Amino acid sequence: MKVPTRSNSKYSFNLKIFKLHNDKKTTTTSTSPPTSPVISAKRNSWRASWRSALGSGSKSGKSIQQTPSYDEPDPIDELERSSCHSSCSSLFPAIQIPQGDELMSMPWFGMDIGGTLTKLVYFEPKDITPDEQDREAGILRNIRRYLTKNSAYGKTGHRDTHLQMDNVEIRKRRGSLHFIRFQTTDMGNFLSLAKQKGMAELVTTVCATGGGAFKFEQDFRDQVNMKLAKFDELDTLIKGILFADLHNCTECYYYENARDILKSEKREFNFSQPFPFILVNVGSGVSILAVYGPDNYKRISGTSLGGGTFLGLCCLLTGCTTFEEAIQLATKGDNRKVDKLVKDIYGGDYNRFGLPGDLVASSFGQMHINDKRGSVSREDLANATLVTITNNIGSIARMCALNEKIDRVVFVGNFLRVNPISMKLLAYAMEFWSNGTMKGLFLEHEGYFGALGCLLQFNGELAAALQEPAADECEGGVCLDETTTPSPADEPAEKSLASKHSTR
């Protein structure tokens, strides 16, 4: 995939994108681009039963609110963000979901322990009765107060207050979902904080997903006496996406006028009929799924060149130390000084194949020239690195969509956080190279879907909504194997035979 570069101007092209993304507000109503005629699948049959099971008749309108922050110092070390671990495997065994008091006991958490970043979703009940408040342990009140009255924990730990979801119902309790992130290398500090706050006295089991659910399992047990109930990260990813879309009417969006990057604008997309779609999860690496139903998907491709690659290369090339710093450098850079363009080879457009002269022909293709190499800045190198990684992701995603004959490509993952440059480049690529038949879609909660889906699975929410297991598949009313659910009757026969963990 090739992407156009910028024309000369007082400000860099990418800085304009960054400013446009942050300054413009969506003012138009929701529109949905037409669906390609090659798509033939019943998409809406799952929603009625799912909404009923969740106790939600419809989306409650925009439930994401900005809340004030009151910083409180804490010993936890620097908590940064980069990208989530995203590799598909069938290593997660089916587990027995806790019941009764253990299931209902607060606090409720979901964790996605990725290769670079750990994501935490916390459910704060808002329907506490006076009797419950009297019986509530002081430790639980302190934990809730600490998590919800701060947007920063220690120096750089973050709660993404703009993503908070209010008036959400989970297991017949109504409240708010809070989204917190920290660097996985600081897991020791997180465990120390949990112990300090007395969390081990209230929680015996924490639902977790991601590779770190295995890596840190013994640490949780030894340091805070907690068990990790492990869930498959791609199961939780998809279920978290569907839950968020049910409860937030502006969750999904696309870029209108995607072929003109400077003028493209964010627009709400109606995702009420989602299936089928290609799901591109951009974390430290990249996993690509074809999703045909809530419990019917397969992993079709991936790449090791993801958000972790971008951050690592930027640290080597520019001396930056955080993802945020790398993105800020990229917004001020110009990849034309680093990359070789079509016009650098042909002297202009390559008309025979419809390739404009401003398309990238070779990433970093000018860095073998001494004069060029001596004139580039840190910002130029950061921007060229970002464009290179984004091009690779977009190219693979488009080929996967073509192979699966699917016209919707949904991009998620923390690589896209504070990164409008990549989102607009991906939107351009899907639109331009498909001649308008494919649409790049994005989601507000980006990298938190695994943790959200994990929280919901642990509390039996989605198990009840998505499947009705036979009596011989359950023990004591608890389904022991979530992977044996038959595919929905309205899905094509060939799709129903596809293993959800296929690594074709």
Side-chain angles (χ1 to χ4, degrees), residues 350-370:
Y350 190 6
N351 294 320
R352 180 182 177 187
F353 294 105
L355 300 179
D358 284 335
L359 292 182
V360 177
S362 175
S363 297
F364 285 77
Q366 299 202 73
M367 290 299 92
H368 69 287
I369 304 173
N370 288 333

Side-chain angles (χ1 to χ4, degrees), residues 59 117 184 324 364 396:
K59 293 183 183 181
L117 196 71
T184 301
E324 288 82 1
F364 285 77
I396 297 174

Side-chain angles (χ1 to χ4, degrees), residues 261-286:
I261 294 182
L262 283 177
K263 296 181 180 179
S264 62
E265 296 184 347
K266 181 177 175 181
R267 292 286 183 264
E268 178 187 334
F269 184 86
N270 183 359
F271 203 55
S272 62
Q273 297 181 343
F275 307 114
F277 63 93
I278 296 294
L279 179 60
V280 184
N281 186 27
V282 189
S284 298
V286 182

Side-chain angles (χ1 to χ4, degrees), residues 262-475:
L262 283 177
K263 296 181 180 179
S264 62
E265 296 184 347
K266 181 177 175 181
R267 292 286 183 264
E268 178 187 334
F269 184 86
N270 183 359
F271 203 55
S272 62
Q273 297 181 343
F275 307 114
F277 63 93
I278 296 294
L279 179 60
V280 184
N281 186 27
V282 189
S284 298
V286 182
S287 280
I288 302 178
L289 314 177
V291 184
Y292 302 105
D295 202 32
N296 182 10
Y297 71 87
K298 60 182 178 180
R299 185 183 189 275
I300 56 177
S301 189
T303 174
S304 62
L305 306 181
T309 312
F310 165 69
L311 179 59
L313 288 176
C314 276
C315 290
L316 288 173
L317 294 171
T318 71
C320 68
T321 58
T322 69
F323 180 83
E324 288 82 1
E325 184 182 358
I327 290 294
Q328 286 295 330
L329 288 172
T331 63
K332 302 173 184 177
D334 185 349
N335 73 299
R336 293 177 304 174
K337 299 178 181 179
V338 179
D339 297 336
K340 183 168 290 186
L341 310 181
V342 169
K343 66 183 179 182
D344 295 327
I345 300 173
Y346 289 94
D349 298 344
Y350 190 6
N351 294 320
R352 180 182 177 187
F353 294 105
L355 300 179
D358 284 335
L359 292 182
V360 177
S362 175
S363 297
F364 285 77
Q366 299 202 73
M367 290 299 92
H368 69 287
I369 304 173
N370 288 333
D371 291 343
K372 297 285 187 180
R373 192 166 58 247
S375 64
V376 298
S377 66
R378 297 168 66 228
E379 290 80 3
D380 298 332
L381 291 171
N383 182 256
T385 304
L386 184 62
V387 170
T388 298
I389 297 300
T390 304
N391 282 355
N392 182 64
I393 294 169
S395 179
I396 297 174
R398 176 178 169 269
M399 288 188 289
C400 289
L402 282 174
N403 288 340
E404 297 297 321
K405 295 180 172 60
I406 295 176
D407 63 351
R408 294 179 178 181
V409 183
V410 180
F411 295 92
V412 298
N414 273 298
F415 174 68
L416 301 176
R417 192 179 67 83
V418 298
N419 188 4
I421 298 174
S422 287
M423 287 190 286
K424 291 198 170 192
L425 291 177
L426 289 169
Y428 167 86
M430 295 299 106
E431 178 84 15
F432 180 82
W433 294 107
S434 69
N435 291 320
T437 62
M438 289 184 192
K439 191 64 59 177
L441 303 176
F442 306 91
L443 301 173
E444 293 287 355
H445 285 84
E446 293 157 349
Y448 283 105
F449 298 112
L452 176 57
C454 191
L455 169 64
L456 297 169
Q457 285 216 67
F458 180 77
N459 287 289
E461 198 66 34
L462 297 182
L466 296 177
Q467 56 192 27
E468 296 178 1
D472 59 354
E473 294 178 324
C474 297
E475 178 178 325

Side-chain angles (χ1 to χ4, degrees), residues 172-323:
K172 299 181 180 179
R173 297 301 301 266
R174 191 162 293 278
S176 299
L177 290 174
H178 300 272
F179 300 86
I180 300 167
R181 55 187 162 85
F182 62 92
Q183 196 171 2
T184 301
T185 54
D186 286 323
M187 182 60 70
N189 295 312
F190 169 79
L191 293 174
S192 297
L193 176 63
K195 186 175 182 178
Q196 174 189 329
K197 297 298 179 181
M199 198 176 298
E201 299 179 32
L202 296 174
V203 182
T204 58
T205 302
V206 174
C207 49
T209 190
F214 289 102
K215 182 177 180 179
F216 297 104
E217 182 174 17
Q218 194 61 43
D219 293 329
F220 272 80
R221 188 183 298 273
D222 293 344
Q223 296 186 38
V224 287
N225 195 31
M226 292 183 185
K227 299 177 183 178
L228 292 184
K230 299 183 289 294
F231 294 92
D232 181 88
E233 57 188 296
L234 298 182
D235 282 341
T236 58
L237 172 67
I238 293 171
K239 291 167 184 176
I241 288 173
L242 297 178
F243 182 89
D245 181 66
L246 282 173
H247 289 79
N248 176 28
C249 65
T250 60
E251 182 68 34
C252 186
Y253 61 94
Y254 72 105
Y255 284 96
E256 189 176 54
N257 301 319
R259 296 197 192 194
D260 189 343
I261 294 182
L262 283 177
K263 296 181 180 179
S264 62
E265 296 184 347
K266 181 177 175 181
R267 292 286 183 264
E268 178 187 334
F269 184 86
N270 183 359
F271 203 55
S272 62
Q273 297 181 343
F275 307 114
F277 63 93
I278 296 294
L279 179 60
V280 184
N281 186 27
V282 189
S284 298
V286 182
S287 280
I288 302 178
L289 314 177
V291 184
Y292 302 105
D295 202 32
N296 182 10
Y297 71 87
K298 60 182 178 180
R299 185 183 189 275
I300 56 177
S301 189
T303 174
S304 62
L305 306 181
T309 312
F310 165 69
L311 179 59
L313 288 176
C314 276
C315 290
L316 288 173
L317 294 171
T318 71
C320 68
T321 58
T322 69
F323 180 83

Side-chain angles (χ1 to χ4, degrees), residues 55 123-127 167-170 172-176:
F123 176 76
E124 177 196 10
K126 292 295 184 70
D127 55 358
N167 199 30
V168 173
E169 184 175 318
I170 297 180
K172 299 181 180 179
R173 297 301 301 266
R174 191 162 293 278
S176 299

